[in-house]
Amino acid sequence: PNSRSGDIERLAVPALGDEIDAEHRAEELARTCAALQRQLAGAKAKTTDLVAAVMDGAREAAVIVGKPKPVPRPKGKPGKGDDEWAVLHLTDWQRGKRCGEPGDLDYYDTGVCEDRVRYVVDRVLRITAVQRKDHPVPGCVVMFGGDMVEGGGNIYPGQAHEIDSTGFQQVMRASALMAEVVLTLLADFDEVRVASVHGNHGRLGNRGDHAREDNLDHLAYALAREHLRDQDRCAWPVNLGWYERVQVGAWSALLVHGDQVKGWSGTPAAGLARKGTAWSSSMPFPWSDLFLGHYHQRLIVTLPNGAQVRMCPSTESGSVYAAEMMSSRGRPGQSLLYVLPGSGRTTGEYMVWLD
């Protein structure tokens, strides 16, 4: 009953057919998961079989869940200046990582990760609404920078004891979260372009055991891309390399994960300057901004040619390994920029802090 009016609220009661259909889909999904576990057990250490088993099972699960209908194009936004694009750098979610205990200030797990990512997207929409009071912002670039999953525990000693879910669960939920991010942005932007690179945490086995492309990040990207296939205002090209060019008009950037830059006892500012300077001349295209993560720190380095190296933090907090081995407790956050496609200039930058 409604305490103010005394009226009885109508309850939305699902039809019997809907309940049966939902139960059927749940049973199908359970059978798919069970079949996948058997395939994984049979695949053992054969990397190609392992990847194929994960992809086949995950795709079947995605088909059962279904794909969303195309998101309606948003209505025209105010503003009369030159068009600008939003550029959102999402990296190092470490989805599946668990740090601390519930109630701790730096506690982190899958739920915290997902809440923080959704908060970032909400901030993007709010900040963009302010921007649009002055000029149009018709499009958004989303850059997934790798280490979107924590992996299976083969990166550092003791990592396996800091994971709250299996590799399969990490891939499925990370892919769903990435698709959710893009779908939410499609409701506010006319066009969304996605770029993606793999990190080091998703690799299978130890470094050098398998091809670099055999990475859980790529599995999550493939599933999210499949989920978004019917969204004609979204472009997400397949990229299996260690870098990707990101371009909007005259603005051009280089996206990498960041593990290519070696460092000891903290953030390698000097190494970033050296690598960035080398890449500024060795890449087959010009770029004005280099985006990377990996070190879970915020840092901007200006290169001799004026280009900017922009290191983005992680959504993670409370990493014992980072505190002990790197003397670092990075502040969680993700970054947002606005660029002018006409001139290629960056007009604004925001850090969305998450602590």
Side-chain angles (χ1 to χ4, degrees):
N2 188 309
S3 59
R4 290 181 298 178
S5 63
D7 295 335
I8 298 178
E9 298 178 352
R10 296 185 61 185
L11 299 178
V13 180
L16 178 59
D18 294 338
E19 292 184 349
I20 295 175
D21 182 61
E23 291 180 1
H24 177 71
R25 292 170 62 190
E27 291 174 357
E28 287 290 326
L29 188 59
R31 282 195 291 269
T32 297
C33 291
L36 175 64
Q37 294 294 340
R38 291 192 296 271
Q39 292 178 52
L40 292 177
K44 296 182 180 179
K46 295 181 180 179
T47 306
T48 55
D49 292 344
L50 180 64
V51 173
V54 172
M55 285 302 295
D56 288 345
R59 278 174 176 161
E60 290 177 14
V63 168
I64 295 169
V65 172
K67 296 179 185 177
K69 296 180 179 179
V71 176
R73 184 181 294 272
K75 297 180 180 180
K77 304 297 180 180
K80 297 182 179 180
D82 294 333
D83 284 4
E84 296 187 15
W85 273 56
V87 179
L88 177 59
H89 190 192
L90 300 174
T91 187
D92 295 271
W93 289 354
Q94 317 293 152
R95 192 254 170 260
K97 180 71 175 286
R98 179 182 56 80
C99 299
E101 298 296 332
D104 292 350
L105 183 62
D106 286 338
Y107 179 68
Y108 188 77
D109 66 358
T110 292
V112 174
C113 170
E114 294 176 348
D115 288 344
R116 288 179 174 178
V117 170
R118 293 183 178 115
Y119 176 82
V120 170
V121 175
D122 177 72
R123 295 299 99 177
V124 170
L125 300 182
R126 290 172 179 265
I127 295 171
T128 300
V130 175
Q131 294 279 327
R132 284 177 173 147
K133 293 182 181 298
D134 178 71
H135 54 267
V137 186
C140 180
V141 173
V142 180
M143 300 182 297
F144 293 122
D147 279 4
M148 313 311 289
V149 299
E150 177 64 10
N154 57 334
I155 304 298
Y156 58 85
Q159 183 194 13
H161 303 286
E162 300 176 0
I163 297 174
D164 67 7
S165 50
T166 65
F168 174 75
Q169 293 170 326
Q170 292 176 33
V171 167
M172 291 299 291
R173 292 190 64 171
S175 65
L177 186 58
M178 286 186 282
E180 178 186 327
V181 167
V182 174
L183 290 170
T184 303
L185 294 174
L186 280 170
D188 195 73
F189 292 91
D190 292 334
E191 182 180 354
V192 176
R193 302 178 188 176
V194 184
S196 54
V197 293
H198 62 259
N200 59 305
H201 273 251
R203 71 174 182 239
L204 301 180
N206 296 318
R207 185 184 296 275
D209 285 352
H210 309 292
R212 297 177 67 177
E213 294 78 11
D214 292 335
N215 191 293
L216 295 182
D217 279 336
H218 285 311
L219 300 181
Y221 295 153
L223 289 173
R225 190 183 299 110
E226 178 70 18
H227 195 67
L228 298 167
R229 175 181 290 184
D230 295 337
Q231 307 300 322
D232 57 1
R233 294 185 293 111
C234 173
W236 188 346
V238 176
N239 173 52
L240 299 179
W242 62 272
Y243 74 88
E244 184 164 6
R245 183 185 188 182
V246 183
Q247 186 174 20
V248 181
W251 180 80
S252 180
L254 174 64
L255 173 66
V256 302
H257 174 61
D259 57 326
Q260 300 84 1
V261 181
K262 305 307 177 185
W264 296 267
S265 299
T267 305
L272 284 175
R274 287 194 298 271
K275 274 286 190 182
T277 301
W279 286 336
S280 67
S281 59
S282 64
M283 284 292 155
F285 54 86
W287 52 268
S288 61
D289 294 277
L290 166 61
F291 293 91
L292 71 159
H294 183 64
Y295 284 94
H296 297 201
Q297 297 288 320
R298 173 61 170 165
L299 182 66
I300 297 180
V301 176
T302 302
L303 302 180
N305 66 352
Q308 299 281 305
V309 179
R310 305 179 186 275
M311 177 179 285
C312 182
S314 166
T315 56
E316 179 193 352
S317 56
S319 173
V320 175
Y321 175 79
E324 179 180 0
M325 304 304 296
M326 299 179 61
S327 302
S328 170
R329 294 185 73 86
R331 186 180 180 188
Q334 306 278 260
S335 68
L336 170 67
L337 284 78
Y338 292 90
V339 301
L340 278 168
S343 65
R345 292 189 296 110
T346 299
T347 62
E349 182 173 15
Y350 299 82
M351 274 305 307
V352 182
W353 296 112
L354 298 169
D355 52 357

